[in-house]
Amino acid sequence: MNIENYRESPVFYGRRKGRRLSKTGKLSIKKGKKFLIKKEDLKNFFKLKKNIILEIGFGDGENLVNSAKKNSEYFYIGADPFLNTNAKCLNKIIEYNLNNVMIWPDDIRKILGYFPLESISAIKILFPDPWPKKKHENRRLIQNEFIETIYPIIKPKGTITIATDHDILKTWILEKFQGYKKFEWIVKSSKDWQIRPNDCFKTKYEIKAIIQKRKPNWFIFQKKHILS
Ligand SMILES: C[S@@+](CC[C@H](N)C(=O)[O-])C[C@H]1O[C@@H](n2cnc3c(N)ncnc32)[C@H](O)[C@@H]1O
């Protein structure tokens, strides 16, 4: 795929809406508007915020909200196009009165091109949709174009953490990142991919994996310093 097409008009295959929102859900979306990122504000946004962590596909927001609660020195951007989970996450952001987190309620690929060079300290992608069938592999978030797009926006030595419990996706992720060569897989022993890193919280999909007896793994890749 041409990288420009990839960035300008990505095709999103996941769900955007589930069951009808509850009263609380509707209220959270209404009250939570101030926590939503607008494309036109992105330029100024990055001038004001330092130490930004981006979480892609935050789901119900367990990791995003707990991380923001714990680390006030970081600013968190969460992206997820699914309305129902946006409502759940906004509800928690309002409840805990957090001022270091904002949400892009859409496909992350639509705004990655607006992120300045070296503006993101770390990216977290916890349990991305596996799209296990061969015929659907182009629907997986981790693609060569995705890696090529995130590489320049991550700070030197910045990291990307990806969790998955799906065997096909485990191999896919390792192959894609190792094939790219500009990221290094940070690993000393098997514990490094078998135990959830200290800076990640348990999510709904991790719990689901454990209940269904699938082993979650966490892969951390660090941006290499490439001399030009
Ligand atoms: C399997 S769920 C995992 C949710 C959560 N991280 C967890 O561990 O419980 C994957 C999430 O990624 C979101 N997602 C998929 N593609 C995305 C994209 N291109 N940009 C942002 N979010 C995306 C989906 O809407 C969904 O909420």
Side-chain angles (χ1 to χ4, degrees):
M1 189 195 288
N2 172 302
I3 191 91
E4 292 310 322
N5 288 349
Y6 171 83
R7 287 175 191 158
E8 292 306 317
S9 43
V11 183
F12 178 70
Y13 291 98
R15 286 194 305 168
R16 283 181 188 275
K17 273 186 185 170
R19 273 187 291 162
R20 262 179 62 174
L21 285 183
S22 64
K23 239 182 177 179
T24 319
K26 280 184 193 157
L27 196 65
S28 305
I29 294 284
K30 199 172 161 198
K31 276 190 172 173
K33 278 205 173 113
K34 62 176 179 181
F35 296 105
L36 300 183
I37 294 174
K38 293 188 205 83
K39 222 181 210 175
E40 58 272 26
D41 296 339
L42 274 172
K43 214 170 169 194
N44 286 330
F45 181 91
F46 285 101
K47 283 187 197 149
L48 299 171
K49 312 287 182 200
K50 302 275 173 270
N51 297 329
I52 298 173
I53 313 272
L54 169 66
E55 182 171 346
I56 303 175
F58 56 74
D60 286 355
E62 300 93 339
N63 182 65
L64 186 68
V65 169
N66 284 315
S67 301
K69 263 168 81 180
K70 188 176 165 197
N71 306 305
S72 54
E73 71 279 23
Y74 283 102
F75 193 90
Y76 291 83
I77 298 178
D80 202 307
F82 191 43
L83 178 72
N84 302 58
T85 53
N86 275 209
K88 282 190 190 173
C89 187
L90 285 170
N91 189 23
K92 290 179 207 156
I93 294 174
I94 296 164
E95 181 187 339
Y96 297 121
N97 201 15
L98 297 175
N99 59 8
N100 61 336
V101 58
M102 282 188 88
I103 283 179
W104 167 251
D106 206 337
D107 186 331
I108 188 62
R109 295 170 298 173
K110 290 186 183 169
I111 53 165
L112 284 177
Y114 295 84
F115 284 32
L117 292 179
E118 301 183 351
S119 54
I120 300 293
S121 303
I123 297 181
K124 314 277 175 195
I125 307 177
L126 305 182
F127 303 92
D129 300 306
W131 295 109
K133 291 183 183 159
K134 174 98 185 132
K135 67 176 179 186
H136 290 152
E137 61 184 31
N138 66 329
R139 298 183 179 189
R140 294 175 191 152
L141 178 66
I142 312 300
Q143 302 286 347
N144 296 336
E145 293 84 358
F146 175 78
I147 301 177
E148 212 173 302
T149 304
I150 58 160
Y151 178 80
I153 67 174
I154 297 182
K155 290 185 178 178
K157 299 207 165 178
T159 55
I160 170 159
T161 303
I162 309 177
T164 184
D165 55 307
H166 200 284
D167 287 342
I168 293 176
L169 200 59
K170 288 175 191 177
T171 310
W172 174 272
I173 290 165
L174 289 175
E175 279 177 5
K176 290 285 170 203
F177 274 89
Q178 289 177 332
Y180 188 64
K181 309 255 186 277
K182 295 185 191 173
F183 282 98
E184 183 181 5
W185 182 20
I186 303 297
V187 65
K188 288 198 186 96
S189 76
S190 59
K191 278 191 189 151
D192 293 335
W193 75 81
Q194 288 172 354
I195 296 176
R196 179 172 4 95
N198 289 334
D199 63 350
C200 291
F201 289 84
K202 201 178 250 180
T203 65
K204 178 172 152 185
Y205 276 79
E206 182 187 343
I207 296 169
K208 209 169 158 180
I210 294 166
I211 291 172
Q212 296 177 358
K213 305 215 179 316
R214 288 189 305 272
K215 279 198 179 131
N217 288 164
W218 287 261
F219 302 113
I220 304 178
F221 303 97
Q222 186 173 50
K223 179 169 174 166
K224 282 187 198 168
H225 181 66
I226 310 276
L227 292 173
S228 47

